[in-house]
Amino acid sequence: MDGKQVLNELTPYKPGKQIEEVKKAYGLTRIVKLASNENPFGYSSSVKQFLKELDPSLEIYPDGYTTELREAMAEKLNIKETQLIFGSGSDEIVQMIGRAFLYPGVNTVMATPTFPQYKHNALVEGAEIREVSTVNGYHDLKAMLGAIDEQTKVVWLCSPNNPTGSLIPREDFYSFMKKCPKHVLVVLDEAYYEYVENGKDPNILKSFTCYENLIVLRTFSKAYGLAGLRVGYGFANENIISKLDVVRGPFNTSSIAQKAAVKSLYDDDFISQSVDRNKAIKADFQEFLDSIGWHYYESETNFLLVSTPVSGTEVFQHLLENGFIVRPGELLGIPRTVRITLGNENDMEQIKEILHQFHVKVSREK
């Protein structure tokens, strides 16, 4: 059956290798997955208790308005309920934005490398893609502004950027917003917002209402540890939200996911502890990488993009055979790198040992 021509040229999103798949392939009994930037410390104990006591009415559709979560989120962020939209992960909201604002004859501007679903969804909608290379992992905002014209509909800013981890400096972001034409929707994707060091993020909640052309995306999949339940959200002025609601599926977040997100939202201690542990683990891992002379990109996230002395695929394969799943840079558009999610303390000690052995082996072969 014929569909859009572009579908013959695209491939589905390919997630990292799954744990059971690797166990079978290499005869391993224990696998550590550090490929998808998940929270290695799990999720809130409040959510665990909720799931234990759960007696779901699965025969009933979920609340299509996401009322309880919407009210809780509006109160926590101190914004209007009508300024919020929810999705099955923030990547569904990315899809909504493409569906609502992109079509043949218009273009969209994004960094490269960045989160691949921006480009994927734009291509599905028939829009022209304009990619601007990052500089040392950072968005080149000046060049991105230069790529905008009258036919530009959406600009994507992933901050911190995936896969580089680099944060757009606060002053640079607001300078960009001041110069960006008002007919262009700016998408500020803050999936890793909770991991950003205090004082470095743009503190966008205090000023987002000043911009009629801005939407901010966040998620419960990363720091909150609810990746398996798929809940993301965005906030913007009511005009943008109303357009996205038209293309949103009527029951796009499950009842269980909505309830779990509410429980998680109130557990500030879990987020604080996760972020503090992540910070300490990152500093320790950076010190290790410094000791073996492997460069890494500056990161305000729970992962590091690490430059490797050989192909990233070779490092990926070596780690895979030793029970660790990471993401090779060749799949991310950055050869000779690997993206490593920061695991718990014990897992990171083990991966350091494996990488050190690999480093010694490669050094001897040179």
Side-chain angles (χ1 to χ4, degrees):
M1 180 178 291
D2 292 336
K4 293 181 179 179
Q5 178 59 37
V6 71
L7 300 183
N8 298 322
E9 304 164 12
L10 298 175
T11 56
Y13 176 78
K14 295 180 180 179
K17 286 185 175 293
Q18 299 302 299
I19 290 175
E20 292 305 317
E21 174 189 359
V22 177
K23 281 183 178 180
K24 292 178 181 178
Y26 297 97
L28 299 170
T29 57
R30 180 176 182 271
I31 300 295
V32 179
K33 183 169 175 264
L34 302 178
S36 301
N37 307 334
E38 297 145 335
N39 189 337
F41 313 122
Y43 48 86
S44 168
S45 58
S46 297
V47 176
K48 293 178 182 178
Q49 187 61 36
F50 159 69
L51 293 176
K52 283 182 182 179
E53 300 171 355
L54 185 64
D55 183 19
S57 300
L58 298 181
E59 75 282 5
I60 298 174
Y61 283 108
D63 176 6
Y65 188 65
T66 328
T67 305
E68 184 180 6
L69 177 57
R70 183 181 298 272
E71 291 174 349
M73 183 66 71
E75 181 180 4
K76 188 175 183 68
L77 300 183
N78 193 27
I79 64 177
K80 299 177 183 177
E81 294 176 19
T82 51
Q83 293 172 325
L84 284 160
I85 191 161
F86 296 90
S88 178
S90 57
D91 49 351
E92 190 197 16
I93 306 177
V94 169
Q95 185 181 49
M96 292 180 205
I97 292 168
R99 190 175 181 190
F101 296 103
L102 297 177
Y103 47 88
V106 304
N107 68 73
T108 180
V109 177
M110 64 196 69
T112 183
T114 194
F115 185 51
Q117 292 305 100
Y118 307 150
K119 181 176 181 179
H120 181 89
N121 285 294
L123 287 171
V124 169
E125 300 302 333
E128 175 194 348
I129 310 299
R130 296 185 177 180
E131 296 179 290
V132 178
S133 295
T134 57
V135 178
N136 296 322
Y138 286 86
H139 285 61
D140 187 344
L141 296 181
K142 182 177 180 180
M144 293 181 77
L145 282 169
I148 294 172
D149 62 20
E150 289 299 318
Q151 299 307 312
T152 304
K153 291 296 182 182
V154 181
V155 172
W156 307 88
L157 302 179
C158 188
S159 184
N161 189 36
N162 179 12
T164 63
S166 305
L167 179 75
I168 296 173
R170 178 181 296 185
E171 299 78 9
D172 294 353
F173 170 75
Y174 284 112
S175 176
F176 179 90
M177 290 303 301
K178 184 177 180 179
K179 297 172 183 176
C180 185
K182 298 300 183 287
H183 72 272
V184 178
L185 176 64
V186 178
V187 182
L188 178 62
D189 188 346
E190 293 189 322
Y192 299 92
Y193 164 78
E194 290 80 11
Y195 291 106
V196 177
E197 188 174 330
N198 288 338
K200 287 187 176 182
D201 71 90
N203 198 16
I204 196 62
L205 276 168
K206 288 190 175 182
S207 58
F208 85 96
T209 54
C210 299
Y211 303 103
E212 293 294 312
N213 62 328
L214 174 67
I215 182 168
V216 182
L217 307 185
R218 293 181 183 173
T219 184
F220 284 88
S221 296
K222 304 303 180 185
Y224 285 96
L226 300 182
L229 289 178
R230 314 305 301 123
V231 186
Y233 64 97
F235 52 90
N237 71 71
E238 287 94 335
N239 182 49
I240 294 173
I241 297 299
S242 65
K243 288 181 171 59
L244 295 179
D245 263 329
V246 173
V247 300
R248 178 181 62 83
F251 306 107
N252 62 326
T253 56
S254 72
S255 301
I256 296 173
Q258 291 179 30
K259 290 280 189 181
V262 171
K263 298 290 185 183
S264 183
L265 188 62
Y266 290 120
D267 193 347
D268 291 331
D269 288 343
F270 172 77
I271 293 296
S272 178
Q273 292 166 13
S274 291
V275 169
D276 287 347
R277 287 177 72 181
N278 179 81
K279 183 178 180 180
I281 290 167
K282 180 169 65 174
D284 180 75
F285 191 50
Q286 288 172 327
E287 184 177 336
F288 162 74
L289 293 170
D290 289 337
S291 73
I292 63 173
W294 285 24
H295 168 77
Y296 49 87
Y297 288 73
E298 294 183 23
S299 175
E300 290 286 339
T301 66
N302 64 336
F303 64 84
L304 286 176
L305 183 66
V306 182
S307 297
T308 53
V310 294
S311 77
T313 302
E314 187 174 341
V315 178
F316 159 79
Q317 186 62 35
H318 177 79
L319 288 171
L320 195 64
E321 293 171 2
N322 284 273
F324 282 83
I325 309 172
V326 299
R327 197 76 160 161
E330 280 72 12
L331 296 181
L332 303 170
I334 319 174
R336 294 176 74 98
T337 64
V338 288
R339 191 189 67 191
I340 302 176
T341 303
L342 299 168
N344 65 38
E345 291 84 353
N346 290 335
D347 292 339
M348 296 310 291
E349 286 301 315
Q350 292 178 39
I351 198 172
K352 285 194 296 184
E353 182 178 343
I354 295 168
L355 286 175
H356 184 266
Q357 293 171 352
F358 183 83
H359 168 69
V360 171
K361 173 178 174 289
V362 171
S363 299
R364 287 173 178 170
E365 291 173 353
K366 284 187 176 180

